[in-house]
Amino acid sequence: MSILYTLQDPNTKWVLMGCIMLGISSGVLGCFAFLRGRSLVGDALAHAALPGVCIVYLLTGSKSIGLFLIGAGVAGLLATYSITAISRYSRIKEDTSLAIVLSVFFGIGIVLLTFIQHSASGNQSGLDKFLFGQAASLVHGDVITIMSVASVLLLLTTLLFKEFALLSFDPGFGRGLGYPMGLLDGLLMLMLLMSIVIGLQAVGVVLVAAMLIAPAVTARYWTDKLSRMVFLSGCFGALSGVLGTLISTQQENLPTGPTIVLSATCFFLFSLLFSPRRGILARLYRFVKLRNKVLVEDVMQSLYESLEELASRTRVGGVYLGISEDEIARKSGKSPAQVKRALAELRRRKWVVEREKAEGQAAWTFTSEGMKAAYPFILNQRLWDLYHMTQNQYLHVQIDQSREELAPQLTDEVLAQMLAQLEAYDLTPRLTESTPLYPMTGNNQGGVPL
């Protein structure tokens, strides 16, 4: 059955609209649960809702989303109170109390569900679909209820966005401003519970928590701004609902709930791999780039300091060719292969040149362009070393140690003082870009004259 043909079915359109609204509301509210560090609370509330739904069905004999909402809400509030009471009045931590409440309530729900299935009207109840969800079982009234509740939840989130942001990031500050953080926390939990309940029939008790967390975590990979995260999370939730519903209609006996969750998982995996800032590939690229940068800088520093030492003990006018790769490796502590790779990169930039010693051993020295790049780098490194050695003298200076460059953060007076200290400690870089090139075999290949 083609997707276009499927979309012409009025019932499919209604189910699709319900799943879209469910995905949006779950994604939006899931952001605040995720930022509050309460990802597991949604799972516990979802499992705790099952006994409430079953008890309402046993009492009324009606499969009404509105009545289920009341039963699940009462059960969810009882579960929330139980979690809080266990962790507050005992030595059991919150994650353990979550596991206890989730298991106990879900166990009671399964017992009641089994009892209903074996009762006279059990086959017509359809409550078994609440375990893994079946969006196709939604009727027109159910979809209207889902869309109405989801719209109310989105409206409340829009009106209380600033308050929920305070609750998520700094409830103490919000309490200081006079906001009722306890009441807002309870309201947020109630809204989460309502979002879970309207998703029970479509996604199921076991997996509905994934609709809260997966879109929120996915959105977090793409932005640092809360408003964008909430918007993206709603979009990912809606897209997951659309894809899951459409895919499940293409295959007979394919449950909608797991398909929607798998669609949300696909978005999460894509973001995990390819998001530009937090994605694994982007982080791996930055790690390799940083490692190569540090390697090149270490080798450049070792070459510069080796040349400096050579200059200090060689008579003026003596013969100078360069530093061998083995000497650079010993100086930098890098392996010969790493030194060779770094020198290749420096030669690609035309910063170093390879020469031949009299014995035929390869040696390296800077070109004039390389010396121009090496001098400020070495000066900056030594300024940082001096700053760390004499940090107490510069407590009055605002220094951001996460920045690479130190000199731009200093006033002219402080910079002059540090340069004078470098000179006193004999740490001033001796080889500068103004150093004339060493004439060798009649051509100008760069190097340091001695």
Side-chain angles (χ1 to χ4, degrees):
M1 184 183 298
S2 69
I3 293 178
L4 290 177
Y5 179 78
T6 304
L7 290 176
Q8 294 176 1
D9 181 20
N11 187 55
T12 303
K13 291 179 182 177
W14 279 108
V15 171
L16 199 56
M17 287 296 295
C19 290
I20 290 174
M21 290 302 293
L22 173 65
I24 294 174
S25 64
S26 299
V28 169
L29 287 171
C31 287
F32 299 103
F34 171 68
L35 294 174
R36 290 274 290 158
R38 291 184 169 176
S39 302
L40 282 177
V41 171
D43 201 20
L45 291 178
H47 285 74
L50 185 60
V53 171
C54 292
I55 291 173
V56 166
Y57 180 80
L58 287 172
L59 293 176
T60 64
S62 169
K63 199 186 73 169
S64 166
I65 289 287
L67 293 175
F68 288 167
L69 190 65
I70 296 173
V74 173
L77 290 176
L78 183 59
T80 305
Y81 175 78
S82 302
I83 294 169
T84 306
I86 291 173
S87 56
R88 179 176 298 176
Y89 299 111
S90 70
R91 302 184 67 179
I92 297 175
K93 294 183 178 178
E94 186 174 354
D95 58 340
T96 309
S97 61
L98 273 171
I100 294 172
V101 171
L102 185 151
S103 305
V104 170
F105 275 73
F106 190 59
I108 296 173
I110 291 296
V111 169
L112 294 175
L113 188 61
T114 306
F115 175 77
I116 293 172
Q117 292 300 309
H118 289 84
S119 65
S121 59
N123 292 332
Q124 289 77 37
S125 67
L127 292 186
D128 56 323
K129 301 297 187 299
F130 277 62
L131 281 179
F132 299 108
Q134 188 176 44
S137 65
L138 294 173
V139 297
H140 180 264
D142 297 335
V143 175
I144 293 297
T145 304
I146 290 174
M147 294 178 67
S148 302
V149 175
S151 300
V152 171
L153 293 177
L154 292 174
L155 179 62
L156 282 175
T157 306
T158 304
L159 295 175
L160 298 173
F161 182 82
K162 183 178 67 177
E163 288 76 6
F164 284 161
L166 271 175
L167 180 67
S168 302
F169 292 109
D170 197 344
F173 180 67
R175 200 172 291 111
L177 292 177
Y179 289 103
M181 289 293 112
L183 182 62
L184 287 170
D185 190 32
L187 178 61
L188 180 60
M189 294 292 288
L190 182 62
M191 292 170 67
L192 284 171
L193 181 62
M194 294 172 68
S195 179
I196 288 169
V197 170
I198 61 174
L200 287 180
Q201 194 167 355
V203 184
V205 169
V206 179
L207 298 174
V208 69
M211 286 300 295
L212 287 173
I213 303 306
V217 178
T218 304
R220 186 67 182 88
Y221 273 91
W222 294 94
T223 182
D224 291 327
K225 194 172 181 181
L226 178 61
S227 58
R228 290 178 188 166
M229 178 182 170
V230 170
F231 175 76
L232 288 175
S233 181
C235 292
F236 284 126
L239 288 174
S240 302
V242 171
L243 283 179
T245 304
L246 292 180
I247 291 173
S248 66
T249 59
Q250 301 304 304
Q251 182 65 41
E252 195 173 346
N253 296 325
L254 187 63
T256 309
T259 311
I260 292 176
V261 172
L262 285 178
S263 301
T265 306
C266 289
F267 286 120
F268 166 70
L269 291 177
F270 180 83
S271 304
L272 180 67
L273 288 175
F274 300 108
S275 67
R277 292 189 58 189
R278 293 186 172 84
I280 291 177
L281 294 180
R283 291 172 62 185
L284 181 63
Y285 170 75
R286 287 196 296 271
F287 171 74
V288 172
K289 187 177 179 182
L290 177 62
R291 188 178 64 177
N292 290 336
K293 178 175 180 288
V294 171
L295 174 64
V296 169
E297 289 178 349
D298 286 348
V299 169
M300 186 168 67
Q301 182 177 3
S302 299
L303 178 59
Y304 185 96
E305 292 176 351
S306 297
L307 291 171
E308 211 175 28
E309 292 171 7
L310 191 62
S312 66
R313 63 174 183 266
T314 306
R315 65 180 177 83
V316 175
V319 176
Y320 164 67
L321 290 174
I323 307 297
S324 70
E325 293 179 5
D326 291 341
E327 292 177 65
I328 297 173
R330 281 195 297 274
K331 180 75 175 177
S332 63
K334 307 296 181 186
S335 67
Q338 288 177 313
V339 171
K340 190 180 291 295
R341 191 166 71 246
L343 288 172
E345 172 62 23
L346 289 171
R347 183 165 60 180
R348 188 188 66 79
R349 300 178 188 177
K350 299 181 180 179
W351 287 2
V352 298
V353 62
E354 183 180 7
R355 291 180 170 176
E356 296 292 331
K357 283 186 178 178
E359 296 82 6
Q361 185 181 4
W364 295 84
T365 187
F366 284 109
T367 64
S368 57
E369 291 84 0
M371 191 62 72
K372 185 178 180 180
Y375 176 80
F377 171 73
I378 298 298
L379 178 60
N380 183 63
Q381 292 292 103
R382 294 182 181 179
L383 283 173
W384 273 117
D385 292 340
L386 178 67
Y387 172 76
H388 290 302
M389 286 190 299
T390 59
Q391 194 167 359
N392 290 336
Q393 299 179 24
Y394 301 101
L395 293 177
H396 63 287
V397 182
Q398 294 291 331
I399 300 294
D400 183 0
Q401 298 193 37
S402 64
R403 294 174 58 183
E404 289 189 7
E405 300 288 338
L406 177 59
Q409 303 184 58
L410 305 175
T411 62
D412 292 342
E413 181 182 355
V414 174
L415 179 59
Q417 180 184 348
M418 295 188 74
L419 291 175
Q421 285 184 300
L422 281 182
E423 187 65 28
Y425 291 135
D426 195 22
L427 291 174
T428 303
R430 301 300 177 191
L431 308 178
T432 67
E433 60 180 295
S434 60
T435 302
L437 301 180
Y438 179 74
M440 181 182 179
T441 63
N443 57 353
N444 194 0
Q445 299 183 22
V448 181
L450 303 176

